[in-house]
Amino acid sequence: MALALNEIQKAMQGRDFLCMSDYTREELKEMIALALHLKKEQKMGVSHPILQGKTLAMIFRKSSTRTRVSFEVGMYQLGGYPLFLSSNDIQLGRGEPIADTARVLSRMVDGIMIRTFAQAEVEELAQFADVPVINGLTDLLHPCQVLADLMTIQEYKGKLAGLKLAYVGDGNNMAHSLLIGGAKMGMKVAVASPEGYLPQAEIVAKAQAFAAESGGEILVTTDPVEAVTDADVVYTDVWASMGQEAEAEERARIFQPYQVNEELVAKARADYLFLHCLPAHRGEEVTAGVIDGPNSVVFDEAENRLHAQKALLALLL
């Protein structure tokens, strides 16, 4: 069955997806609406092979479960072909310049998704590629995850604007993208992190500017109780991300007061949603009682990576 795209959606074709700040509030709303539509129709058995004959190169310099499966299965369900490329599979891992990789792949594929360490690598890839480039994750940002997060909140709450989203933990790529994405959508985003682990000031300033336009609010604090009080959504992430394994013991000590537990979530609204990008370490950043409790929607959130990525692929490719 053909997929009817409206004019706003058609305007996204051929663009990169490096950061949510590159898209307007209306464009992000259209992405989420399309993701929800694709999910509904998939459950009804409706297929949309609109990317038949198209190929997506997927470069992984960081390992993955949800990112790889969502893009690979999503591309397949849209009729296209996903091509998995690890650092061991391509010359990029042996020192080939990113610009050369971009030029070569652009002549053979219809889109590139990359999951890597430095944001600069993604931006350079996009600069020299002639096909859309999607940021599957960097140390700075994780926009694909937050697209699925916003979709999940919309699915459960029926809206985004005016809701309070509290993130507790490391001021990392998740915190950064939640700040930007939430601010774009008119949400009240509160981030609580220890001193020395707060989100980057440049990202916070950008989020504050977006919030001023959308009617949202931004709060960055070291107090998790302040962040979570009256929250509609409570979010956390692991204390030590990939590449930070050597810091794990020190981080566990520093972040212990920032554990999302039953005492902390009691400060949120009674019908709060608990989100986590996964993988989760029960007993560390979150207790089993919270992540496996009645307010947790982490597995719906994980499934929505598939539908959000399908929307992204349908729009850009």
Side-chain angles (χ1 to χ4, degrees):
M1 179 180 290
L3 188 64
L5 302 180
N6 63 36
E7 292 307 309
I8 296 178
Q9 292 170 338
K10 288 179 182 177
M12 299 183 217
Q13 293 178 5
R15 289 170 60 182
D16 300 318
F17 188 71
L18 309 185
C19 176
M20 300 186 92
S21 63
D22 298 332
Y23 285 79
T24 67
R25 182 182 184 183
E26 288 305 312
E27 287 171 337
L28 293 173
K29 286 172 69 174
E30 291 291 342
M31 286 184 189
I32 294 166
L34 180 58
L36 289 166
H37 174 75
L38 290 171
K39 180 176 183 177
K40 179 182 178 180
E41 296 221 325
Q42 180 181 306
K43 302 295 185 184
M44 296 167 57
V46 179
S47 61
H48 295 286
I50 60 171
L51 296 184
Q52 193 166 2
K54 293 187 180 289
T55 301
L56 177 72
M58 306 187 305
I59 302 174
F60 284 87
R61 304 191 80 170
K62 279 189 174 184
S63 59
S64 166
T65 299
R66 281 148 292 275
T67 299
R68 177 174 178 180
V69 175
S70 61
F71 274 104
E72 193 159 328
V73 174
M75 194 65 183
Y76 171 79
Q77 289 183 354
L78 291 172
Y81 180 76
L83 182 63
F84 174 78
L85 302 169
S86 75
S87 294
N88 296 327
D89 297 324
I90 58 176
Q91 297 301 326
L92 187 62
R94 299 180 179 88
E96 181 174 54
I98 292 173
D100 289 0
T101 299
R103 293 183 179 107
V104 170
L105 289 179
S106 294
R107 292 170 179 244
M108 300 182 184
V109 304
D110 302 283
I112 304 169
M113 188 283 298
I114 180 169
R115 181 178 170 96
T116 188
F117 293 89
Q119 180 72 15
E121 287 188 8
V122 178
E123 293 174 358
E124 185 177 359
L125 189 68
Q127 179 185 350
F128 290 96
D130 295 324
V131 296
V133 172
I134 298 171
N135 178 2
L137 173 141
T138 66
D139 289 343
L140 183 69
L141 298 168
H142 199 352
C144 289
Q145 175 67 52
V146 172
L147 185 62
D149 296 337
L150 295 175
M151 173 191 173
T152 306
I153 299 167
Q154 177 77 40
E155 189 174 32
Y156 272 89
K157 297 293 187 180
K159 65 176 185 176
L160 293 169
L163 295 180
K164 182 178 180 181
L165 186 159
Y167 173 90
V168 179
D170 190 14
N172 58 13
N173 50 9
M174 280 309 316
H176 291 159
S177 287
L178 287 167
L179 280 164
I180 293 172
K184 279 272 185 178
M185 304 312 292
M187 302 181 75
K188 302 173 183 178
V189 185
V191 174
S193 306
E195 287 287 358
Y197 296 89
L198 293 163
Q200 290 186 15
E202 181 182 349
I203 297 290
V204 174
K206 188 177 291 189
Q208 288 171 332
F210 292 141
E213 296 173 359
S214 68
E217 297 177 23
I218 299 297
L219 169 68
V220 176
T221 178
T222 57
D223 183 357
V225 172
E226 182 183 15
V228 171
T229 296
D230 294 328
D232 298 283
V233 183
V234 179
Y235 203 118
T236 192
D237 190 11
V238 295
W239 291 338
S241 300
M242 283 180 283
Q244 298 172 335
E245 290 81 4
E247 305 172 29
E249 188 174 334
E250 181 184 7
R251 282 173 169 264
R253 176 182 58 79
I254 293 170
F255 282 94
Q256 187 59 47
Y258 292 81
Q259 182 187 70
V260 176
N261 51 37
E262 289 80 350
E263 181 181 359
L264 182 60
V265 297
K267 307 294 183 182
R269 294 185 182 274
D271 62 346
Y272 83 95
L273 300 178
F274 175 73
L275 298 180
H276 192 305
C277 55
L278 302 180
H281 299 153
R282 289 166 174 79
E284 292 185 16
E285 74 273 5
V286 62
T287 60
V290 171
I291 193 171
D292 298 320
N295 295 77
S296 176
V297 294
V298 296
F299 296 111
D300 289 333
E301 175 192 10
E303 178 193 339
N304 284 344
R305 288 293 304 276
L306 170 63
H307 309 296
Q309 263 60 282
K310 284 173 69 175
L312 202 56
L313 292 168
L315 292 168
L316 303 188
L317 272 61

